[in-house]
Amino acid sequence: LYRWMLERFFFDYLLKTDDDCFINVPSILFEIRQWSQKAANKLWWGNFRRNWFVERFGKWRELDFSSKTYPPFACGSGYILSKSLVDWLAANFEYLHCFQGEDVSVGIWLSAVNAKEMDDWRWQCFSNCSNNALAIPNLNEKQLRRYWRNSITCGKVCDCNE
């Protein structure tokens, strides 16, 4: 995926999200425009889980990572990678082992390059609605449509009557 993106598109930042997430694109773009290019080198912007225990049983079981906890990783609603990190991932992908989840894998891989983690609660890990959210996960189609409609109609994601 990383190599494919680099071969087809010119970008400074790459957004990763899941298809069940509301993404507040205008707010994300506003934030990015405030950064300088130099400060954004090796930048990873998301909501990070830290000291997350490696599960050995169940849906998220991990058999290949031997540590008791994972290195920091961004939760699944979404995150931004600077191009320098995407370049590194693409260049080294054939050597990188895929672990139980993409988010965890990226955390393990990027721990090797000392990425600049920009921890931001607005990349929500749970589906609680916040008008300040950059991403809200685990939504059904009805919720996604409502949040988009609200954001376009009144600029508030959760409720135009607030």
Side-chain angles (χ1 to χ4, degrees):
L1 171 67
Y2 304 111
R3 187 172 295 136
W4 185 88
M5 292 295 294
L6 289 167
E7 290 169 353
R8 287 165 178 78
F9 302 100
F10 174 79
F11 59 90
D12 293 321
Y13 304 98
L14 179 69
L15 165 69
K16 178 275 170 186
T17 189
D18 293 339
D19 63 0
D20 65 350
C21 297
F22 171 81
I23 301 297
N24 191 335
V25 175
S27 293
I28 293 168
L29 291 175
F30 176 82
E31 294 285 335
I32 288 173
R33 288 183 184 119
Q34 309 307 307
W35 304 340
S36 72
Q37 276 302 110
K38 185 176 181 183
N41 186 40
K42 291 175 41 177
L43 182 78
W44 186 13
W45 179 29
N47 189 345
F48 291 88
R49 294 184 171 178
R50 300 180 188 284
N51 301 311
W52 196 265
F53 284 102
V54 176
E55 298 201 30
R56 301 299 178 196
F57 305 97
K59 178 180 179 182
W60 302 113
R61 93 170 161 237
E62 174 60 64
L63 301 176
D64 295 333
F65 191 70
S66 60
S67 179
K68 290 183 179 183
T69 59
Y70 290 115
F73 65 95
C75 67
S77 65
Y79 55 82
I80 298 282
L81 295 174
S82 65
K83 185 175 181 298
S84 58
L85 292 177
V86 177
D87 287 338
W88 185 86
L89 289 166
N92 292 286
F93 196 74
E94 65 185 277
Y95 306 107
L96 301 174
H97 176 76
C98 291
F99 295 90
Q100 61 82 11
E102 170 270 331
D103 302 329
V104 165
S105 294
V106 171
I108 295 167
W109 301 336
L110 293 182
S111 68
V113 297
N114 198 26
K116 294 178 195 169
E117 298 163 9
M118 190 166 118
D119 203 354
D120 190 333
W121 68 268
R122 296 175 299 168
W123 295 93
Q124 295 190 226
C125 297
F126 303 102
S127 57
N128 302 346
C129 193
S130 166
N131 285 322
N132 296 320
L134 299 173
I136 305 170
N138 305 318
L139 303 175
N140 60 43
E141 181 182 351
K142 185 177 179 181
Q143 291 170 306
L144 284 166
R145 288 182 185 278
R146 185 176 80 235
Y147 292 171
W148 273 114
R149 187 172 43 253
N150 290 347
S151 68
I152 291 167
T153 303
C154 68
K156 294 180 180 178
V157 175
C158 303
D159 189 356
C160 285
N161 297 320
E162 289 183 354

